[in-house]
Amino acid sequence: MARPFPKKISQIKPTLSNVAQTSHFAVTFGGFHPNLSTYLKRKGIDNRYAQEKLSLLCCRASLPGSGYATADVIGNYTGVAEKFAHTRTFVQMSMDFYVDDDYKSIKFLEHWLEFMSNGSTVGDNADPLKDGYYYRMRYPNQYKCDETRIVKFERDYKNYLEYRFIGMFPISLDASTVSYEGSRVLKATATFNYDRHIAGRSRSVDKLLKRDKNDEPSFAEQVRAKNLDRLDDINGFAQRPFNADLDGVQRLIADGRFLNSGSGGSTIISEGISAASGGGGSRTT
């Protein structure tokens, strides 16, 4: 890296003035199991409330973090200790919700947690008011949801960042303090766990337009045009049948998959074999 040189304010300002703000985001809940949706609806929480109004009442959230669990390996090289990643780990996330005057936001969290452990009430007809009541957990696929998203955007709504959480469910609801000493907006804080997250857009329309998972549509078209996805050749035709009578370079020339042609030669990419030809001769790998 070259040593730094002084820069003018006009050179620095475009970079430092275009930074993201923390106050523009939206959280949407979805993908609930029918049993969970029915249970929440019985408590007065329908899917429309969870997808629309609860998004506005979520006043604090966190963009997800992740890491890797590693294992130490000693002995491959003398005097060298190495680390290798073996499991990806995801950080638990907490959210704050404003509590509306119908208390639906806190009911949503409370009864979601209640649904996870009320198998004894529904399946065994156990009465919570009786002595000896016990909790029986439901199956994970009934209380986990796969369509919860956090969308981070800016005031101009031009660019946004989306995270989708797979296997998300609440694991705790913090105590909310009420007091006579000065009225403030009541908040409910819940901690969520999830199996994994997807960074980038993941809806079906985004997959159709080849812009899912933060892929740029223009780059996806270039990959397809250059046959890197092994679907079409550069001219848009299907791959030709394999001809065993030709050697590797001749097969590439016959297929006509030349990229980046110019005075310095051409680069050919096909079926994991690349070749370059020009003034310096030819090379195959």
Side-chain angles (χ1 to χ4, degrees):
M1 179 179 178
R3 66 182 179 88
F5 290 92
K7 293 184 178 180
K8 299 179 181 179
I9 297 297
S10 59
Q11 295 176 298
I12 301 175
K13 186 176 179 180
T15 300
L16 296 182
S17 60
N18 296 322
V19 292
Q21 305 295 316
T22 60
S23 56
H24 300 89
F25 70 95
V27 179
T28 58
F29 291 90
F32 297 132
H33 190 275
N35 293 352
L36 176 58
S37 297
T38 302
Y39 189 81
L40 292 176
K41 189 175 182 179
R42 192 169 72 189
K43 304 297 183 181
I45 312 297
D46 55 14
N47 289 335
R48 185 173 182 179
Y49 176 85
Q51 295 176 1
E52 297 180 5
K53 295 184 179 180
L54 198 64
S55 174
L56 298 176
L57 293 175
C58 182
C59 59
R60 186 184 66 86
S62 302
L63 299 183
S66 64
Y68 284 96
T70 60
D72 295 329
V73 178
I74 301 175
N76 286 344
Y77 304 96
T78 304
V80 177
E82 300 176 279
K83 283 185 179 294
F84 295 99
H86 60 79
T87 302
R88 188 173 183 183
T89 58
F90 297 93
V91 181
Q92 293 177 352
M93 179 179 55
S94 63
M95 297 184 189
D96 288 352
F97 299 86
Y98 290 130
V99 179
D100 53 315
D101 54 5
D102 290 331
Y103 302 103
K104 285 188 175 181
S105 59
I106 197 169
K107 287 180 180 179
F108 169 76
L109 300 170
E110 183 69 46
H111 293 302
W112 190 353
L113 289 165
E114 183 180 82
F115 173 81
M116 294 166 57
S117 60
N118 74 343
S120 56
T121 304
V122 177
D124 301 339
N125 296 323
D127 188 355
L129 300 177
K130 299 294 184 179
D131 293 338
Y133 178 79
Y134 60 95
Y135 293 100
R136 183 162 67 87
M137 300 298 169
R138 291 179 178 266
Y139 290 107
N141 65 329
Q142 295 186 18
Y143 58 77
K144 289 184 176 183
C145 65
D146 296 337
E147 293 291 338
T148 299
R149 288 178 168 88
I150 292 181
V151 180
K152 179 67 186 72
F153 57 91
E154 294 307 310
R155 186 174 300 187
D156 56 6
Y157 296 94
K158 291 182 178 180
N159 298 316
Y160 66 92
L161 181 66
E162 179 179 308
Y163 289 94
R164 176 183 173 183
F165 299 93
I166 306 298
M168 188 174 185
F169 64 98
I171 60 174
S172 67
L173 176 62
D174 295 351
S176 300
T177 303
V178 292
S179 173
Y180 284 133
E181 299 175 0
S183 295
R184 292 178 295 179
V185 177
L186 183 63
K187 296 181 182 179
T189 301
T191 302
F192 294 85
N193 190 73
Y194 55 94
D195 298 335
R196 55 188 174 89
H197 70 256
I198 299 174
R201 291 169 281 192
S202 58
R203 293 178 173 86
S204 58
V205 64
D206 298 314
K207 293 182 179 180
L208 179 64
L209 298 177
K210 298 184 181 298
R211 64 185 185 187
D212 58 321
K213 301 178 183 178
N214 287 332
D215 285 347
E216 292 293 333
S218 58
F219 181 79
E221 292 299 329
Q222 293 176 16
V223 170
R224 183 175 179 83
K226 294 181 179 180
N227 192 37
L228 298 182
D229 57 0
R230 300 184 178 184
L231 295 179
D232 295 320
D233 60 20
I234 193 171
N235 297 318
F237 299 103
Q239 294 186 26
R240 302 177 184 179
F242 177 79
N243 188 349
D245 297 332
L246 302 178
D247 60 24
V249 176
Q250 289 176 330
R251 286 199 301 271
L252 297 177
I253 296 174
D255 287 343
R257 299 187 178 100
F258 291 87
L259 308 179
N260 303 325
S261 60
S263 59
S266 301
T267 301
I268 311 169
I269 299 178
S270 175
E271 301 176 0
I273 305 175
S274 62
S277 61
S282 61
R283 172 173 53 88
T284 60
T285 56

